């Protein structure tokens, strides 16, 4: 057992400063799998090293996606390592061989958590979800379900279920993204409205959105040039602007 601070320092540099220089990187399998099971930020940071072992050294991790699914909680939209996490989740969900129920579970869980996410994160998550629909067309039933639940309490999706295959995500609909179409931030509402249209085949590039901050979003809004706002919709016809004003009988603007 290592102190939490030391765990984080090691895992941050493990994938590019330690593993490439080891003769046998597979010696780190136990360390990374244990770290991946700890939870929280340590699990997020262990993803980088695990990805290298799975991708380059044939590590088999049967419950990998189940554990990855369990990492999706409200904190992922606020943690310091958010960009790194979503970059890796994007890689892990890029394979077209993943079953539809698994991808649908990720889409549904991300959408449900998006209801309480800040605007700067939503501008990244919504294109992220759209990309998953492009890769896995079988999941589009979540958007185009004609007889979806009218009441949110009737949603068959089980948020508390840890096993993606038991979450009943494919039986649900994406009412969460539809509700975001009424978001107070216009950019978020515009991004969510794209699901009302047919998606293009080309994926959105989310690399520039992964590290979008609230400050950048605010700065962008402040620098917008506002159009001239009309203050009068009726031409002035008297001293106080009314056509039949009693003052118009005694005073004139001419």
């Amino acid at each position: 057992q290592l102190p939490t601070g030391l765990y984080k320092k090691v895992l941050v540099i493990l994938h590019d400063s330690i593993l490439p220089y080891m003769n046998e990187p597979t010696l780190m399998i136990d360390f990374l799998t244990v770290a991946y099971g700890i939870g929280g930020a340590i699990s997020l940071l262990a993803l980088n090293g695990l990805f290298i072992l799975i991708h380059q050294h044939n590590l088999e991790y049967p419950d990998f996606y189940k554990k990855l699914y369990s990492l999706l909680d409200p904190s992922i939209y606020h943690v310091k390592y958010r960009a790194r996490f979503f970059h890796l989740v994007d890689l892990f969900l890029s394979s077209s061989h993943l079953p539809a129920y698994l991808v649908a579970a990720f889409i549904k869980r991300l959408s449900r958590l998006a209801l309480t996410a800040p605007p700067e994160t939503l501008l990244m998550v919504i294109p992220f979800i759209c990309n998953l629909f492009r890769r896995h067309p079988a999941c589009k039933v979540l958007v185009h379900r004609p007889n979806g639940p009218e009441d949110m309490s009737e949603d068959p999706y089980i948020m508390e279920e840890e096993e993606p295959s038991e979450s009943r995500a494919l039986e649900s609909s994406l009412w969460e993204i539809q509700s975001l179409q009424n978001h107070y931030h216009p950019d978020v509402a515009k991004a969510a409205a794209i699901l009302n249209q047919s998606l293009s085949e080309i994926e959105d590039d989310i690399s520039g959105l992964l590290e979008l901050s609230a400050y950048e979003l605010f700065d962008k809004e402040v620098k917008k040039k506002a159009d001239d706002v009309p203050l009068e919709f009726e031409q002035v016809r008297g001293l106080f602007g009314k056509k039949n004003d009693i003052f118009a009988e005694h005073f004139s603007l001419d």
Side-chain angles (χ1 to χ4, degrees), residues 62-74:
D63 293 331
F64 178 79
Y65 282 99
K66 177 182 176 181
K67 178 62 181 175
L68 183 65
Y69 181 72
S70 69
L71 289 179
L72 300 181
D73 59 36

Side-chain angles (χ1 to χ4, degrees), residues 129-131 133-134 140 194-195 197-202:
I129 291 173
C130 290
N131 284 347
F133 280 124
R134 292 183 176 101
K140 289 184 178 180
I194 195 173
L195 284 178
Q197 311 164 9
S198 58
L199 294 174
S200 62
E201 295 183 2
I202 302 175

Side-chain angles (χ1 to χ4, degrees), residues 141 143-148:
V141 67
V143 180
H144 305 293
R145 188 179 297 283
N147 300 317

Side-chain angles (χ1 to χ4, degrees), residues 108-253:
K108 187 65 181 174
R109 196 174 182 99
L110 286 170
S111 302
R112 183 67 60 85
L113 295 174
L115 292 174
T116 57
E120 65 272 15
T121 308
L122 291 174
L123 292 176
M124 177 271 297
V125 171
I126 294 173
F128 184 91
I129 291 173
C130 290
N131 284 347
L132 292 180
F133 280 124
R134 292 183 176 101
R135 297 172 193 168
H136 307 275
C139 295
K140 289 184 178 180
V141 67
L142 292 175
V143 180
H144 305 293
R145 188 179 297 283
N147 300 317
E150 295 181 1
D151 187 357
M152 289 182 290
S153 62
E154 299 175 0
D155 191 344
Y157 173 67
I158 307 172
M159 180 73 172
E160 298 76 20
E161 177 59 53
E162 295 182 358
E163 183 63 55
S165 60
E166 303 293 332
S167 66
R168 299 178 64 190
L170 272 178
E171 302 174 31
S172 182
S173 61
L174 221 58
W175 58 265
E176 296 92 345
I177 301 299
Q178 188 173 2
S179 68
L180 290 177
Q181 293 175 6
N182 300 312
H183 197 273
Y184 69 88
H185 197 289
D187 288 348
V188 174
K190 182 179 178 181
I194 195 173
L195 284 178
N196 293 339
Q197 311 164 9
S198 58
L199 294 174
S200 62
E201 295 183 2
I202 302 175
E203 291 190 12
D204 295 323
D205 183 13
I206 64 168
S207 58
L209 302 172
L210 290 174
E211 297 186 11
L212 184 66
S213 66
Y215 176 81
E216 291 174 329
L217 207 59
F218 182 78
D219 193 51
K220 178 184 175 183
E221 292 295 323
V222 170
K223 291 181 178 178
K224 280 185 177 178
K225 291 185 177 180
D227 297 329
D228 293 334
V229 180
L231 301 179
E232 287 285 348
F233 61 90
E234 186 176 323
Q235 187 176 357
V236 177
R237 296 180 181 274
L239 185 63
F240 290 91
K242 296 180 181 179
K243 182 177 180 181
N244 299 320
D245 195 347
I246 189 172
F247 290 97
E249 299 177 10
H250 308 284
F251 299 93
S252 173
L253 295 179

Side-chain angles (χ1 to χ4, degrees), residues 32-122:
L32 285 169
T33 51
V34 169
Y36 190 43
I38 289 177
I42 294 178
S43 292
L44 300 187
L45 293 174
L47 279 173
N48 255 332
L50 274 177
F51 173 70
I52 291 177
L53 294 181
I54 292 172
H55 188 64
Q56 300 179 8
H57 302 282
N58 300 319
L59 169 65
E60 292 187 7
Y61 197 124
D63 293 331
F64 178 79
Y65 282 99
K66 177 182 176 181
K67 178 62 181 175
L68 183 65
Y69 181 72
S70 69
L71 289 179
L72 300 181
D73 59 36
S75 67
I76 60 167
Y77 291 141
H78 305 275
V79 292
K80 178 181 178 181
Y81 310 105
R82 182 189 72 201
R84 180 193 297 238
F85 174 71
F86 276 98
H87 170 69
L88 290 171
V89 172
D90 189 39
L91 285 175
F92 297 143
L93 296 178
S94 60
S95 173
S96 58
H97 299 292
L98 294 175
Y101 75 83
L102 178 67
V103 180
F106 274 89
I107 290 174
K108 187 65 181 174
R109 196 174 182 99
L110 286 170
S111 302
R112 183 67 60 85
L113 295 174
L115 292 174
T116 57
E120 65 272 15
T121 308
L122 291 174

